[in-house]
């Protein structure tokens, strides 16, 4: 599978305020570890990391100093207010080793239940946990929802992947469904209120006309 290159810088200053300084410079702290080896504190460019994640690659070539390391993103901490990444854990891997990893689920197509029955497409699961060799990690699961009618659902048990990729998520977990729309939108409520006011006004006018006569 393809690899996305990320260049890092060793992090040696752990004084108070250093993390804030890094973030002001557009960088975030991170750590690289490989099995039982000592972890390496590093920093990476935030924009570069965003681009790496948006590339949808699962395997990365992380450069530390002059050496490249094959790795996957094991964990990302986010700011709860801005939703911006503030720390990343990179886990070193061997291409032939078997690991557990989450892959994103992308919905494809327009559901017939949404198109013809005014249903609402509701996604319940956004990532699928799988077990496979590093070299076999799927970039994503593309799930076609075109044939989903009102009341239909797709479960994990319905998903088929390559034979060398084992799905670990519970088979009974619902991924996506088409449900009947409930309630009305704000716009619809406003329109109904306007229509009711117009009816009341018309009735008032008619009563006034009758009284004049």
């Amino acid at each position: 599978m393809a690899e996305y290159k990320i260049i890092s810088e060793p992090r040696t200053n752990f004084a108070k305020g250093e993390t804030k300084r890094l973030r002001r410079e557009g960088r975030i702290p991170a750590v690289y570890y490989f099995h039982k080896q000592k972890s390496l504190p590093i920093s990476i460019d935030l924009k570069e990391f965003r681009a790496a994640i948006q590339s949808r690659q699962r395997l990365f070539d992380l450069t530390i100093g002059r050496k490249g390391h094959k790795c996957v993103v094991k964990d990302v901490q986010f700011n709860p207010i801005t939703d911006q990444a503030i720390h990343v854990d990179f886990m070193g891997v061997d291409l032939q080793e078997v690991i557990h990893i989450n892959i994103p689920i992308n919905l494809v197509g327009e559901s017939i239940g949404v198109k013809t029955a005014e249903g609402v497409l509701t996604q319940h699961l956004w990532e699928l946990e799988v077990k496979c060799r590093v070299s076999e990690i799927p970039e994503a699961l593309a799930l076609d929802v075109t044939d989903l009618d009102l009341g239909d659902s797709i479960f994990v048990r319905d998903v088929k992947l390559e034979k060398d990729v084992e799905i670990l998520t519970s088979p009974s977990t619902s991924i996506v469904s088409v449900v009947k729309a409930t309630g009305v939108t704000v716009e619809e409520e406003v329109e109904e209120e306007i229509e009711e006011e117009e009816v009341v006004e018309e009735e008032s006018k008619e009563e006034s006309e009758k009284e004049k006569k």
Side-chain angles (χ1 to χ4, degrees):
M1 64 182 298
E3 301 169 11
Y4 194 101
K5 190 170 185 177
I6 299 176
I7 299 176
S8 72
E9 294 179 1
R11 189 159 49 95
T12 57
N13 187 349
F14 303 100
K16 186 177 180 180
E18 177 63 14
T19 298
K20 289 184 178 179
R21 184 191 67 78
L22 281 174
R23 290 174 183 145
R24 284 198 301 269
E25 295 177 354
R27 303 185 68 80
I28 56 174
V31 63
Y32 167 83
Y33 59 90
F34 181 68
H35 295 300
K36 294 182 179 181
Q37 293 181 11
K38 185 178 179 180
S39 61
L40 300 176
I42 56 176
S43 71
I44 57 175
D45 184 89
L46 178 57
K47 289 183 178 179
E48 187 177 69
F49 178 68
R50 284 177 182 163
I53 296 301
Q54 292 171 358
S55 73
R56 300 186 182 278
Q57 299 294 337
R58 312 303 293 171
L59 183 63
F60 300 94
D61 183 4
L62 179 67
T63 300
I64 304 177
R66 296 182 178 181
K67 189 175 180 181
H69 303 266
K70 301 291 186 294
C71 62
V72 296
V73 173
K74 193 62 177 177
D75 185 54
V76 182
Q77 295 177 26
F78 294 93
N79 184 305
I81 298 176
T82 65
D83 201 33
Q84 180 171 287
I86 57 175
H87 190 278
V88 183
D89 285 5
F90 292 98
M91 183 180 77
V93 293
D94 181 278
L95 292 180
Q96 296 306 311
E97 73 174 294
V98 175
I99 65 170
H100 295 187
I101 192 169
N102 292 335
I103 61 172
I105 300 172
N106 301 327
L107 304 184
V108 179
E110 184 178 7
S111 161
I112 189 172
V114 173
K115 190 174 182 180
T116 64
E118 298 183 351
V120 177
L121 187 71
T122 304
Q123 186 169 358
H124 312 289
L125 188 68
W126 283 263
E127 289 187 327
L128 193 67
E129 186 181 9
V130 301
K131 176 182 177 182
C132 63
R133 292 184 184 278
V134 172
S135 58
E136 302 295 332
I137 298 175
E139 291 182 10
L141 168 63
L143 203 58
D144 190 352
V145 299
T146 304
D147 294 331
L148 271 189
D149 207 343
L150 192 63
D152 290 344
S153 298
I154 297 178
F155 295 87
V156 171
R157 61 174 172 262
D158 302 316
V159 173
K160 304 298 180 185
L161 295 177
E162 297 295 329
K163 64 179 181 179
D164 294 330
V165 181
E166 178 185 350
I167 298 175
L168 300 179
T169 305
S170 173
S172 61
T173 303
S174 175
I175 299 176
V176 62
S177 58
V178 178
V179 298
K180 186 177 180 180
T182 58
V184 294
T185 63
V186 174
E187 290 78 9
E188 290 173 335
E189 290 179 345
V190 171
E191 288 177 0
E192 289 178 0
E193 290 175 358
I194 293 173
E195 289 176 357
E196 290 175 356
E197 291 174 357
E198 290 175 346
V199 170
V200 172
E201 289 177 358
E202 288 297 327
E203 291 176 347
S204 298
K205 288 180 181 179
E206 290 178 1
E207 289 296 328
S208 298
E209 291 297 327
K210 289 179 180 179
E211 289 176 359
K212 289 180 181 180
K213 292 180 180 179

